[in-house]
Amino acid sequence: MASKPGILTDWPWKPLGSFKYVILAPWAIHGTYSFIAKGESGRDLGYFLIFPFLLARMLHNQIWISLSRYRTAKGNNRIVDKGIEFEQVDRETTWDDQILFNGAIFYIGYMALPQTHNLPLWKSNGLIITALLHAGPVEFLYYWFHRALHHHFLYSRYHSHHHSSIVTEPITSVVHPFAEHIVYFMLFTIPLLTTVFTGTASIASFAGYITFIDFMNNLGHCNFELIPKWLFSIFPPLKYLIYTPSFHSLHHTQFRTNYSLFMPLYDYVYGTMDKSTDTLYEASLKRPEESPDVVHLTHLTTPESIYHLRLGFASLASWPHSSKWYLRLLWPVTLFWSVIISGIYGHAFVLERITFKALKLQSWLVPRYNIQYIVQWQREALNTLIEEAILDAEVKGVKVLSLGLLNQGEEMNRNGELYIKRYPQLKIRLVDGSSLAVAVVLNSIPKGTTQVLLRGKLGKVACAIADALCESGIQVAILYKDEYEKLRLRLTTKSKSNLVISTSFTNQKIWLVGDRWTEEEQQKAPKGTLFIPFSQFPPKKLRKDCSYQATPAMIAPTSLISNMHSCENWLPRRVMSAWRIAGILHALEGWNMHECGNTMFDIDKVWQASLHHGFRPLTTLAAA
C-alpha cells in the first residue's frame, strides 16, 4: 500500500478475494460456447482465444518467477544482494489482477467495437504499425508519466507502492495501484486501437504486443543480468533501444534515474541516465555462482509440494503447506511436472539462499518424493543422489551439510554414517541434527511433568529422548512389550527403572510421537492430551479435543537473517526445523566433527548454543 493511498488504489474486485476470477467466467463460457455451437463460418477465433491467452500470460509470468528465483539463489549474475521478505511476497500476490483487468477490457472492447470481430491471424502492416507506435508515442508518454509519478504528490499516493520492492522479482513489474494500471493500459491501447480503426489489426499483433510487454516487464525486474554483452558490441545503438535488468534495478535503488519503459533512449535524451548503469551491468555479468558456507539437503514430499517450493507459486511457498482444493484440479499438470522433476532432473539443485549473520546458507533439493524413500529398491539410487550432493558441496568449499527429512535415517544411510565411511577424508562436516531435535523436544515438555508416553519409531532421536528423560527422573511409558525390551537395551542411563510399560492408553496426557504411530492409537488418547512430535513429519490428522506441538523447530531471529520469504514445509513463517538449525549452529560454533551414525553432541550445550545465536523456542501450539 502507498504511504498515503489515493483514490482508485484498490482493485474493484478486492472484496471477492480468491473468487475474483469469476468476473471473467461469463465471458469465457460464452466465448467457448459460441466457438463450439456455431458453424465454421460463424466462429470467431479471436473471441474464443481471449481466455486461453490470459492463462498463457499467467504461465509466462510463472516461468519468469521460477527462473528468476532459481538464478538469484545460485548467485551468478545476481544484481542486488539484499534479500526480500514475507511482506514483499504478500504485497505482490496481486500480480494477476492486471491480467484479469486486461481480460475484462478485451471482452468489453470486443462487445463495444465491431471492428474487433473476426480478426485475421496475421497482418504484417499491423505488426509494423504496432512496433512504431510503441517506440514513439508509448515510450515517450510513459517516460513523462513515470517522471510525474515520482513527484512527491503522486509518489506518496500511488507509485511508492511499487517502489516498496527495492529488490525486484519479475512480478514486481505489475504490482501497482489500480489507478496506475488504468493509465498504463490507456498507453498500451494506442497501438492496439490504431490498428483496429485502420483495419490492420490481427490476432498476432494483439497477442504479440501484450506478450512483448509481459516479456520486457519480467526481464527488467528479474534481478539477474541475462543480456549478453556481445549483443551491444555487434550493434552499439541497441543500448538506446532495449534496457537491461541492471538498468531498471538502478531505478529501484536510486529512484531518480532510469525512468524509461523499455527503451533507454529517452533517459539519454533528457539526462536522467544513471552514470553507474554500464558499470553495474558489466559487474553483474561477471558475477560467479555463489559458494555457500552451509547447505541443508531436503527433498520433495508429495507431488503437490512442487507448487509450495520457493521456485513454485510464491504465494503458496510463503505459507505452511496445506491442501488446496484448486491444486486437485491440476493433477494432470502435477503429474507431468512430477515426471519432469523426478525423472529427468537427476541431481540435487539450489532451492533457496538466505544469510545468517556472516554465513551464506543454501537449501538444496533432491528431486524425489516421500514414497520413493519408503520403497526399498529405490534406496541405492537415492543414496547415490545424496552422495553426489555431498561431494558437490565438498568441491564448492561448503563447511557443513545438514541432512533434512528422509535424507537421513537408520535404514537409509545410518544417519549419514554411510558417506563418512565411504569418504573418510571429507572436509565438509555432515550433520543429522539429532542432538538439537532432542533438545527441542525436551524443552517442549511442560515443567512439572512426571510421566510421558513415548510412541513411534525407536530411532536415534527417540532413544536419546528416552535416555535423557529417564536420567532426569521422568517416567517414560511404552505401549508394547517388544518396543519396551528393544528400548531398554539401547538406554545408557543408570535410571532404567524409569522406563515402564503402560497398562492403558489413558494413563498419560503427554505423548511424544514419531513415525509409525497410528491414527487408531491417537484416537485412544484421553481428551486434552498434548502431542509433541519428535519426527520431521507432523501427524496427518488432528483431534479437535487435543493440542499439538509443531515438529522440532525454533523461531529464527529476524534481525540476523535475511532473504527468508518461504516456509519450510509445514512450519510457520520464520521458523526453521531443528535439523536445519543444527547445521547453522555447527558452522557458527566451528565444531570440527560430524554428527552422524550414533554420534550425539551434548544436548544442553547444543540447546544453549541455539539460544545464544538468537533462536527462540516455538511455544505456540499447532491448532487442531
Side-chain angles (χ1 to χ4, degrees), residues 373-384 411-412:
Y373 282 80
I374 296 172
V375 180
Q376 189 167 1
W377 60 269
Q378 286 271 355
R379 286 179 184 168
E380 184 177 349
L382 286 167
N383 275 323
T384 299
E411 293 90 350
M412 175 60 65

Side-chain angles (χ1 to χ4, degrees), residues 399 426-429 586 589-594 601:
K399 299 175 183 176
L426 279 177
K427 295 179 181 179
I428 191 174
R429 295 305 175 212
H586 211 88
E589 293 291 321
W591 292 329
N592 192 28
M593 59 184 295
H594 301 288
F601 292 161

Side-chain angles (χ1 to χ4, degrees), residues 95-115:
W95 65 269
D96 54 349
D97 279 334
Q98 56 95 23
I99 296 180
L100 294 180
F101 175 58
N102 290 175
I105 296 297
F106 290 154
Y107 280 120
I108 293 171
Y110 178 86
M111 299 297 181
L113 299 173
Q115 299 95 320

Side-chain angles (χ1 to χ4, degrees), residues 77-245:
N77 308 127
R78 192 167 63 235
I79 301 168
V80 178
D81 275 328
K82 184 180 178 181
I84 68 174
E85 304 297 333
F86 285 106
E87 291 78 10
Q88 178 173 339
V89 177
D90 291 342
R91 187 173 60 252
E92 295 181 346
T93 54
T94 59
W95 65 269
D96 54 349
D97 279 334
Q98 56 95 23
I99 296 180
L100 294 180
F101 175 58
N102 290 175
I105 296 297
F106 290 154
Y107 280 120
I108 293 171
Y110 178 86
M111 299 297 181
L113 299 173
Q115 299 95 320
T116 60
H117 295 187
N118 298 303
L119 292 177
L121 275 174
W122 180 276
K123 272 196 175 183
S124 299
N125 52 358
L127 291 169
I128 294 172
I129 291 172
T130 299
L132 292 175
L133 289 176
H134 174 84
V138 173
E139 288 277 352
F140 176 78
L141 292 172
Y142 177 91
Y143 173 85
W144 285 107
F145 175 62
H146 195 180
R147 288 192 64 171
L149 285 173
H150 278 261
H151 183 276
H152 65 85
F153 181 85
L154 291 178
Y155 186 82
S156 62
R157 286 162 176 78
Y158 297 104
H159 203 51
S160 60
H161 179 71
H162 177 69
H163 274 276
S164 297
S165 302
I166 296 175
V167 181
T168 60
E169 293 202 285
I171 49 178
T172 305
S173 61
V174 291
V175 177
H176 302 279
F178 179 51
E180 276 192 56
H181 272 287
I182 294 174
V183 179
Y184 295 145
F185 193 82
M186 290 171 62
L187 291 175
F188 297 142
T189 54
I190 292 174
L192 300 178
L193 289 179
T194 300
T195 56
V196 166
F197 292 130
T198 58
T200 57
S202 66
I203 294 175
S205 64
F206 267 68
Y209 184 49
I210 300 301
T211 302
F212 165 76
I213 292 170
D214 286 345
F215 181 87
M216 295 301 293
N217 263 332
N218 286 320
L219 180 146
H221 291 80
C222 64
N223 196 33
F224 70 93
E225 191 54 73
L226 74 163
I227 306 295
K229 191 174 180 180
W230 58 262
L231 275 179
F232 299 106
S233 299
I234 293 174
F235 187 62
L238 191 63
K239 71 176 184 177
Y240 302 107
L241 303 178
I242 182 173
Y243 74 169
T244 63

Side-chain angles (χ1 to χ4, degrees), residues 319-365:
W319 292 99
H321 286 204
S322 61
S323 180
K324 303 293 183 182
W325 64 268
Y326 51 83
L327 292 181
R328 297 170 192 166
L329 304 177
L330 296 177
W331 257 102
V333 180
T334 306
L335 185 61
F336 169 77
W337 281 113
S338 297
V339 173
I340 294 294
I341 292 174
S342 63
I344 298 177
Y345 211 90
H347 56 86
F349 58 88
V350 180
L351 176 66
E352 179 184 29
R353 73 169 179 96
I354 60 176
T355 57
F356 186 91
K357 296 183 178 180
L359 287 182
K360 297 177 182 178
L361 317 174
Q362 285 184 354
S363 292
W364 291 5
L365 183 81

